[in-house]
Amino acid sequence: MFVRGLKRKCFDGEEDIEGTLAGIKAIPSYNLQRQSLLDMSLVKLQLCHMLVEPNLCRSVLIANTVRQIQEEMTQDGTWQMINTQSTGQTSLDRLVSTDILCRSSREQAEGKQVPGYGSFSKDFEDDQTQDSSETMSTSSSVQAPRNMQSNVWEMENPQESRGNFQKSLDQIFETLENKSPNSVEDLFSEVDNSYYDLDTMLTGMMSNTKMGHCDGLETFSSPTTATSNSNCKSDLNELDHIVEILVES
Amino acid sequence: SCAADIISTVEFNHSGELLATGDKGGRVVIFQQEQENKTQSHSRGEYNVYSTFQSHEPEFDYLKSLEIEEKINKIRWLPQKNAAQFLLSTNDKTIKLWKISERDKRPEGYNLKEEDGRYRDPTTVTTLRVPVFRPMDLMVEASPRRIFANAHTYHINSISINSDYETYLSADDLRINLWHLEITDRSFNIVDIKPANMEELTEVITAAEFHPNSCNTFVYSSSKGTIRLCDMRASALCDRHSKLFEEPEDPSNRSFFSEIISSISDVKFSHSGRYMMTRDYLSVKIWDLNMENRPVETYQVHEYLRSKLCSLYENDCIFDKFECCWNGSDSIVMTGSYNNFFRMFDRNTKRDITLEASRENNKPRTVLKPRKVCASGKRKKDEISVDSLDFNKKILHTAWHPKENIIAVATTNNLYIFQDKMN
């Protein structure tokens, strides 16, 4: 059951939960787990961008997972999916009202520079400031990473980190162009949400090229063999496409 | 041992006398079975190193500014036609045909050269003699006979030699090419699933193999768990399959990871050609080529991992590509798992066994002890709980001798060869 009217606190550890919830076992909400999975997937995809040559199969599978989650999130309430990590029976009714979903898609339609996910999670944050049924999910947010056994993802302060997404967006693009992920740890800790339009990200990943290395073509001689086929040409076009997208963003 | 020693492929030749391994450092090591020792009738010949050579070197693709790994993805042997042995080895981009030949004699007694190769002063030559062959220590030489390059934009995952022994296919994530073993400057594209717009890409090719008997038939598997059987007589570009093998999803098991775990990591025809086996993340499936809508047999490799999929997704283990293999009579199938475990399934008795490839527990000639993983509840003695499994110790590559019960199992850095107990 959901606990109503509970004052939110900054959760540092288990003791706080036990103190405030007085023995009520916090079950991670399906939505939070799903969000966590989405975040994890997007980080994995970003990591693909940084690798020398991403494994296409892995990238495709992760991208499909992201798409699935996105589709379900937009149709929330219609789907009844059993989460593999759920510790209890969680056939949850949707916690996010239709109004919020509509708001996020309207903001997208207004052509904001902020990608779709950013809008959605921002609204989710707004929703959480209200004392609604989401309170239960908030208090269980600390449970979620422990259940997921994730040491990469700490969802301690989902509200605060979501506010920084624009800053992190710039940081990601900068990292991609410099190709020097020194602060990969920092990148992970700040990036809680998707900052890409899904298509942009897929384009960058699928064309199997490295970004920001166009000058590499000039510095190296190019002993490509005579039998290079038209596939090379089309992949070069995709490289141009990537560069265009980066520049636009 | 370093990262370059990581074994990336294992393959017996057609007689089983030779066993080839490829590693991350681009090396091929071939083992040869000793002639059976007549005095020690309780054991078959052991496998000793026969030849080692560097098959592939790291390369740099200047056009894309990307390094091409030298890791050997697959080795496939050609059937032996003469004294020499031939195999195909491939990395992500280039396939090479290697000739492995023995030399146990050398010519001696040249007229114009000394034994060390230096030329003699012609004025000192007063007689003529005919050079003769004299025995020498056995030398095994590997030489590259063909290099098949520049035909793959994406990473090669499979090579398969046709039953005509003249052609072979190579498959990458999006395309399959057909080659003639004699011709290196061109190949025919027979499958192309690359979408016009890469943003629409949702499925990749994961493995491909020619039918063992039917030289116009091949299959390829996908990341969505489908297998397509194609007939090259139907059209030049086999984009339209003759058969599509796919099992409908079990709705009770549906999760966000369903697609990932359905991705097929290996496909192998049975020796008879009547069946094919596929490996996905949690199971091995046997398909009858005459039935497309579901497999005829399904074996659970490590079902206890189903509740751990999220963790396995996080640490990327869910993307591990396990291979599978048939025994010579197609009655047993084998595949690897984690914690250096590997599994065998007897198709006739429906019994299965879990064994471990590790040095600690097994001295040579000891019988392997069956292992058991305790999924939940009370752990019995000698059982291992799921949480204590070492996911870094994975057996991805296994091979079964074509005629005898001898198996080769590759852990990360080591190769184990096991045989059944002879009475």
Side-chain angles (χ1 to χ4, degrees):
Chain A
M1 284 308 296
F2 303 127
V3 178
R4 298 188 182 276
L6 200 66
K7 191 173 179 186
R8 263 186 313 119
K9 281 167 108 177
C10 176
F11 291 101
D12 290 334
E14 259 180 76
E15 323 69 76
D16 290 322
I17 305 175
E18 278 163 10
T20 51
L21 295 181
I24 295 171
K25 186 167 192 264
I27 299 167
S29 84
Y30 174 77
N31 279 8
L32 266 175
Q33 288 192 351
R34 183 177 60 186
Q35 180 66 44
S36 177
L37 182 62
L38 176 64
D39 297 342
M40 199 199 302
S41 305
L42 291 165
V43 166
K44 283 180 183 295
L45 282 176
Q46 286 165 16
L47 192 59
C48 286
H49 285 296
M50 299 169 193
L51 289 178
V52 173
E53 195 163 19
N55 180 328
L56 191 62
C57 182
R58 181 175 171 274
S59 305
V60 167
L61 290 173
I62 298 171
N64 289 351
T65 307
V66 166
R67 208 183 270 113
Q68 267 185 67
I69 298 173
Q70 182 190 21
E71 279 170 12
E72 193 194 86
M73 277 173 151
T74 55
Q75 292 177 37
D76 216 11
T78 327
W79 289 62
Q80 288 262 326
M81 269 205 200
I82 301 166
N83 189 291
T84 55
Q85 277 268 315
S86 62
T87 52
Q89 307 85 321
T90 49
S91 175
L92 295 171
D93 301 333
R94 43 171 209 175
L95 301 176
V96 181
S97 70
T98 328
D99 180 42
I100 289 163
L101 288 171
C102 291
R103 250 199 289 148
S104 65
S105 48
R106 228 190 304 125
E107 276 167 347
Q108 270 179 296
E110 280 165 30
K112 269 178 150 192
Q113 187 154 7
V114 173
Y117 287 124
S119 319
F120 178 82
S121 39
K122 195 165 183 301
D123 296 319
F124 196 67
E125 172 196 13
D126 293 339
D127 188 54
Q128 281 195 326
T129 57
Q130 303 156 22
D131 254 342
S132 63
S133 52
E134 271 75 43
T135 316
M136 180 61 181
S137 53
T138 310
S139 59
S140 64
S141 67
V142 183
Q143 281 276 21
R146 278 198 296 115
N147 277 357
M148 307 279 263
Q149 292 167 29
S150 162
N151 33 23
V152 173
W153 286 101
E154 298 299 327
M155 283 181 60
E156 290 147 358
N157 300 308
Q159 301 82 1
E160 289 158 15
S161 47
R162 276 173 188 147
N164 295 334
F165 72 83
Q166 186 57 46
K167 174 168 164 266
S168 302
L169 182 67
D170 297 338
Q171 191 176 0
I172 290 163
F173 280 122
E174 187 192 314
T175 310
L176 284 169
E177 286 182 29
N178 294 343
K179 274 301 177 184
S180 54
N182 322 348
S183 52
V184 161
E185 305 303 323
D186 296 336
L187 193 63
F188 282 177
S189 62
E190 283 191 62
V191 171
D192 259 337
N193 305 300
S194 139
Y195 307 112
Y196 289 111
D197 178 74
L198 186 61
D199 287 340
T200 308
M201 182 170 53
L202 286 176
T203 310
M205 162 193 67
M206 292 309 176
S207 57
N208 209 23
T209 56
K210 231 181 180 186
M211 286 175 280
H213 256 39
C214 316
D215 38 8
L217 291 171
E218 285 146 30
T219 51
F220 290 108
S221 59
S222 39
T224 49
T225 64
T227 51
S228 62
N229 48 27
S230 60
N231 295 330
C232 291
K233 283 212 186 96
S234 56
D235 290 317
L236 255 184
N237 291 335
E238 283 156 350
L239 178 60
D240 292 341
H241 185 47
I242 305 299
V243 174
E244 270 172 48
I245 288 167
L246 277 177
V247 166
E248 269 174 333
S249 310
Chain B
S1 49
C2 58
D5 291 340
I6 295 173
I7 297 171
S8 48
T9 184
V10 181
E11 186 82 354
F12 280 100
N13 76 336
H14 290 254
S15 67
E17 185 207 353
L18 298 176
L19 174 66
T21 62
D23 68 24
K24 196 160 185 271
R27 273 186 315 253
V28 171
V29 179
I30 301 177
F31 299 85
Q32 183 189 42
Q33 191 179 26
E34 275 174 6
Q35 292 300 320
E36 275 182 38
N37 197 328
K38 298 292 187 276
T39 57
Q40 287 181 295
S41 58
H42 64 271
S43 72
R44 297 186 189 86
E46 285 185 359
Y47 281 82
N48 301 310
V49 176
Y50 175 68
S51 171
T52 304
F53 58 93
Q54 188 75 32
S55 171
H56 287 71
E57 300 275 3
E59 287 173 49
F60 198 85
D61 181 336
Y62 295 99
L63 207 58
K64 289 191 202 167
S65 203
L66 291 171
E67 195 176 276
I68 300 169
E69 269 195 297
E70 66 274 31
K71 173 169 72 86
I72 308 294
N73 293 336
K74 285 289 179 341
I75 290 174
R76 290 287 182 263
W77 290 91
L78 265 76
Q80 189 172 12
K81 277 195 262 193
N82 52 39
Q85 301 275 359
F86 288 86
L87 61 79
L88 285 176
S89 71
T90 186
N91 68 349
D92 285 337
K93 298 286 185 178
T94 304
I95 307 127
K96 295 188 184 181
L97 176 69
W98 287 89
K99 177 180 176 183
I100 296 109
S101 46
E102 293 184 357
R103 192 199 291 263
D104 60 358
K105 298 182 268 293
R106 67 156 190 247
E108 287 179 15
Y110 285 105
N111 290 292
L112 299 175
K113 281 195 286 188
E114 303 286 359
E115 293 309 325
D116 60 10
R118 280 180 304 144
Y119 280 94
R120 292 167 67 181
D121 180 357
T123 57
T124 63
V125 179
T126 52
T127 58
L128 278 181
R129 55 187 175 168
V130 178
V132 292
F133 276 100
R134 296 216 186 278
M136 58 179 260
D137 288 340
L138 178 66
M139 202 165 77
V140 181
E141 298 171 320
S143 59
R145 306 303 289 177
R146 305 271 186 277
I147 297 181
F148 306 91
N150 302 310
H152 286 281
T153 309
Y154 302 98
H155 290 176
I156 297 173
N157 52 55
S158 311
I159 47 175
S160 177
I161 299 172
N162 203 348
S163 51
D164 64 8
Y165 301 141
E166 286 183 353
T167 57
Y168 74 95
L169 64 77
S170 58
D172 67 30
D173 296 309
L174 298 179
R175 297 190 178 97
I176 303 179
N177 294 329
L178 181 71
W179 302 83
H180 192 286
L181 283 163
E182 299 290 327
I183 299 168
T184 59
D185 62 355
R186 59 183 178 275
S187 68
F188 291 101
N189 177 244
I190 51 177
V191 173
D192 188 338
I193 65 167
K194 183 177 181 210
N197 185 355
M198 279 295 270
E199 291 172 20
E200 293 163 6
L201 180 67
T202 58
E203 190 172 10
V204 300
I205 297 168
T206 52
E209 193 176 64
F210 264 119
H211 190 275
N213 307 319
S214 186
C215 61
N216 47 273
T217 305
F218 66 93
V219 293
Y220 69 92
S221 59
S222 84
S223 55
K224 285 200 174 171
T226 65
I227 310 102
R228 287 172 175 79
L229 185 141
C230 300
D231 187 331
M232 294 195 292
R233 294 170 300 189
S235 69
L237 187 63
C238 299
D239 271 353
R240 297 178 58 190
H241 51 264
S242 300
K243 295 194 187 193
L244 174 68
F245 298 84
E246 188 174 13
E247 184 172 24
E249 199 176 11
D250 175 8
S252 65
N253 267 335
R254 179 113 182 81
S255 76
F256 284 120
F257 306 108
S258 294
E259 185 184 307
I260 298 178
I261 63 169
S262 75
S263 175
I264 291 171
S265 50
D266 195 15
V267 63
K268 292 264 172 50
F269 278 105
S270 65
H271 293 91
S272 64
R274 165 126 188 248
Y275 298 99
M276 67 178 173
M277 163 166 57
T278 58
R279 175 69 155 99
D280 52 72
Y281 190 61
L282 296 180
S283 69
V284 160
K285 294 179 182 171
I286 312 284
W287 304 79
D288 185 321
L289 292 189
N290 299 315
M291 187 158 73
E292 296 168 61
N293 59 353
R294 60 177 173 80
V296 290
E297 295 155 38
T298 301
Y299 301 103
Q300 302 300 337
V301 181
H302 36 219
E303 179 71 9
Y304 46 78
L305 296 183
R306 193 179 287 275
S307 58
K308 310 278 179 194
L309 291 178
C310 198
S311 308
L312 294 164
Y313 178 71
E314 195 216 333
N315 64 18
D316 270 359
C317 281
I318 208 174
F319 301 107
D320 286 336
K321 292 192 191 297
F322 292 94
E323 293 172 10
C324 54
C325 61
W326 299 83
N327 73 340
S329 58
D330 298 336
S331 60
I332 304 178
V333 296
M334 173 168 69
T335 189
S337 178
Y338 294 105
N339 210 69
N340 282 346
F341 288 169
F342 58 101
R343 302 262 284 139
M344 290 186 193
F345 302 92
D346 188 321
R347 298 177 62 213
N348 298 324
T349 64
K350 301 301 180 201
R351 282 170 48 206
D352 63 85
I353 190 168
T354 305
L355 299 169
E356 181 178 358
S358 83
R359 265 199 272 251
E360 293 138 20
N361 303 322
N362 306 305
K363 293 202 193 93
R365 306 257 173 259
T366 57
V367 175
L368 293 178
K369 195 172 120 175
R371 300 278 178 229
K372 188 122 168 49
V373 176
C374 167
S376 59
K378 282 196 76 155
R379 186 177 72 89
K380 299 197 189 83
K381 179 171 174 286
D382 285 348
E383 281 186 357
I384 299 174
S385 74
V386 183
D387 297 315
S388 355
L389 293 175
D390 188 342
F391 290 94
N392 291 318
K393 292 185 180 169
K394 49 193 91 172
I395 292 179
L396 303 175
H397 313 287
T398 59
W400 204 303
H401 190 291
K403 298 183 171 64
E404 300 178 40
N405 280 342
I406 301 174
I407 58 174
V409 173
T411 59
T412 309
N413 292 96
N414 295 306
L415 180 72
Y416 291 81
I417 299 177
F418 299 114
Q419 61 186 31
D420 67 355
K421 209 164 51 123
M422 288 176 82
N423 300 322

